[in-house]
Amino acid sequence: MGDIRPPDTGDLHVSVEDLDAAAEYVERLRQYVDDTISYEMERIKERMKGDSNNAQTVPNGTPFGAYEDARMQWQALTRSTANMEAHLKALSGKLAALKKGTEDIAQAFRDTEARNAANGKQIERMLESAAPPPATGGQPTYPYTA
């Protein structure tokens, strides 16, 4: 159990474009959770309020009735709905954090690529401005022992 190996990722290659696409997908998923599913949760909560035109005639009644088991079912449904709503908010927050992290990684890739390109150009300039190599058969410019 102490031998935990990293997962085999095979021939995994990720580009900045892949990361950008992943961030866009996560954002669409977050919007779906925020818009569509949250809208449906609001509809459920509205339906749970019952029909205001036909109010309960039994004191302390629920839409399930006034008996104790009906009240317990109603409380369980209310708790479950509140838990689901909290879960959706947490999920939305985690998706937003995932999108931000993915965008940060993509930006780090871009910054690294820009630095590498700048370093490559600087190396090319240094090589172009260097003195040409000595002619063949000429005296070497470094200590030569053979």
Side-chain angles (χ1 to χ4, degrees), residues 10-29:
D11 216 11
L12 179 66
H13 297 283
V14 177
S15 68
V16 175
E17 292 80 16
D18 294 335
L19 292 170
D20 288 339
E24 288 175 23
Y25 175 77
V26 169
E27 176 60 20
R28 285 194 312 271
L29 188 57

Side-chain angles (χ1 to χ4, degrees), residues 15 31 40 55-57 66 79 95 98 102-103 105-106 108-109 115 126 128:
S15 68
Q31 287 175 353
E40 292 301 327
Q56 291 288 333
T57 57
R79 260 192 325 275
L95 287 171
L98 177 61
T102 305
E103 289 173 339
I105 292 169
F109 269 99
R115 268 195 310 276
M126 291 173 77
E128 288 171 357

Side-chain angles (χ1 to χ4, degrees), residues 90-106:
L91 181 61
S92 177
K94 288 177 182 180
L95 287 171
L98 177 61
K99 177 187 175 226
K100 172 85 170 88
T102 305
E103 289 173 339
D104 290 348
I105 292 169

Side-chain angles (χ1 to χ4, degrees), residues 37 45 60 125:
I37 297 179
K45 288 178 5 187
N60 296 323
R125 280 195 300 273

Side-chain angles (χ1 to χ4, degrees), residues 4 17 36-37 40 47-48 73 75 77 95 122 132 136:
I4 300 175
E17 292 80 16
T36 306
I37 297 179
E40 292 301 327
R47 292 179 72 190
M48 284 174 59
Q73 286 179 348
Q75 288 170 351
L77 180 61
L95 287 171
Q122 185 178 7
T136 312

Side-chain angles (χ1 to χ4, degrees), residues 74-143:
W74 184 251
Q75 288 170 351
L77 180 61
T78 303
R79 260 192 325 275
S80 174
T81 304
N83 288 341
M84 182 55 126
E85 201 168 19
H87 178 70
L88 286 173
K89 287 179 183 175
L91 181 61
S92 177
K94 288 177 182 180
L95 287 171
L98 177 61
K99 177 187 175 226
K100 172 85 170 88
T102 305
E103 289 173 339
D104 290 348
I105 292 169
Q107 187 59 47
F109 269 99
R110 283 187 191 89
D111 293 347
T112 301
E113 288 175 350
R115 268 195 310 276
N116 288 347
N119 288 341
K121 288 184 187 286
Q122 185 178 7
I123 290 170
E124 286 176 2
R125 280 195 300 273
M126 291 173 77
L127 289 173
E128 288 171 357
S129 67
T136 312
Q139 197 64 17
T141 57
Y142 53 89

